[in-house]
Amino acid sequence: MTILLVFLIIICIILCYALYAFVQRKKLVHYDDDSVFEDETVDATKSATQAATNPSAQAATQSAAEAVSYIEDMKQLAFKMGDTVWQQYDILLATRGYGWDDIIEAADYLASADMDYIDSISTSSPTSPTEELVHAYRQSKGRLKDLSLLAEEKGSLGLAGHSRKFDRSLKIVWYNQTRVLRIFSMFDDAALIREYVETMMQRAF
């Protein structure tokens, strides 16, 4: 009698385990076949396909990429020189610092891409006074990298002239081995200056 009871208990345990396994298998099949997951997969596929074929989606993706700025911070202040109020924009770039060769290359690009007429090219260092090089620049036929006076590194390089983009005078100063630019202008428009610097950094004039 005892053996029969033990046998029946074992049979019941086996049947219960089999029933539990069957129920769990049905649950897994249900979730795998769930239409919600199928809909999400289809929607994701559709979105990817539309992004690849839809011009507006491509433009949105491109705009998002272009939203990455070259400017980390910008501060503006105004000062008066004679009867003229000047705006000074101090810009901290979001890129690595400019070396001397980088500065000369950037100034050469800006002089040819945006400046109609160069009024001033100047260098300065903490241990030496400001030096004006515009006459030597004009004799060099407009190439800063050809100036022997710029062979030795300085603390800063300034370029001033008539900007085609703004149709006004503009001065930009690069500070050697830093991420700092300083722009002087007679117009009060931080958004335009930001756009100008972004365009200059992208070499997109």
Side-chain angles (χ1 to χ4, degrees), residues 76-88:
Q76 179 184 357
L77 61 90
F79 62 94
K80 195 170 184 179
M81 184 178 293
D83 296 329
T84 304
V85 176
W86 285 83
Q87 302 295 323
Q88 175 180 314

Side-chain angles (χ1 to χ4, degrees), residues 21-154:
F22 176 77
V23 171
Q24 290 298 108
R25 182 175 179 278
K26 291 295 290 181
K27 286 183 178 180
L28 289 172
V29 171
H30 171 73
Y31 285 125
D32 288 342
D33 295 337
D34 196 334
S35 62
V36 173
F37 291 99
E38 292 176 358
D39 291 343
E40 288 179 351
T41 304
V42 170
D43 288 343
T45 304
K46 285 181 179 178
S47 297
T49 303
Q50 290 172 353
T53 57
N54 188 344
S56 62
Q58 289 177 340
T61 303
Q62 185 176 0
S63 296
E66 291 173 350
V68 178
S69 175
Y70 287 93
I71 298 173
E72 183 175 318
D73 192 21
M74 184 169 73
K75 299 185 184 303
Q76 179 184 357
L77 61 90
F79 62 94
K80 195 170 184 179
M81 184 178 293
D83 296 329
T84 304
V85 176
W86 285 83
Q87 302 295 323
Q88 175 180 314
Y89 300 89
D90 290 340
I91 298 157
L92 179 65
L93 298 175
T95 61
R96 64 179 178 82
Y98 268 86
W100 189 243
D101 290 339
D102 298 320
I103 289 175
I104 293 174
E105 182 183 350
D108 259 334
Y109 169 74
L110 194 62
S112 62
D114 182 54
M115 298 290 187
D116 280 331
Y117 184 80
I118 305 300
D119 297 313
S120 173
I121 293 174
S122 59
T123 61
S124 65
S125 293
T127 58
S128 60
T130 300
E131 185 177 6
E132 181 58 61
L133 307 177
V134 69
H135 297 298
Y137 171 77
R138 290 169 184 164
Q139 291 174 359
S140 71
K141 299 181 181 179
R143 294 180 66 85
L144 287 171
K145 66 180 183 179
D146 294 334
L147 287 181
S148 60
L149 294 171
L150 293 177
E152 182 182 348
E153 291 196 21
K154 302 291 184 179

Side-chain angles (χ1 to χ4, degrees), residues 121-189:
I121 293 174
S122 59
T123 61
S124 65
S125 293
T127 58
S128 60
T130 300
E131 185 177 6
E132 181 58 61
L133 307 177
V134 69
H135 297 298
Y137 171 77
R138 290 169 184 164
Q139 291 174 359
S140 71
K141 299 181 181 179
R143 294 180 66 85
L144 287 171
K145 66 180 183 179
D146 294 334
L147 287 181
S148 60
L149 294 171
L150 293 177
E152 182 182 348
E153 291 196 21
K154 302 291 184 179
S156 68
L157 175 66
L159 173 69
H162 184 267
S163 167
R164 286 194 291 270
K165 182 174 178 62
F166 297 123
D167 193 25
R168 294 186 185 182
S169 295
L170 190 77
K171 180 176 181 178
I172 181 167
V173 181
W174 292 265
Y175 292 90
N176 193 14
Q177 303 299 334
T178 74
R179 296 187 291 140
V180 178
L181 299 177
R182 178 168 288 171
I183 294 180
F184 300 91
S185 71
M186 289 184 290
F187 53 92
D188 180 4
D189 196 326

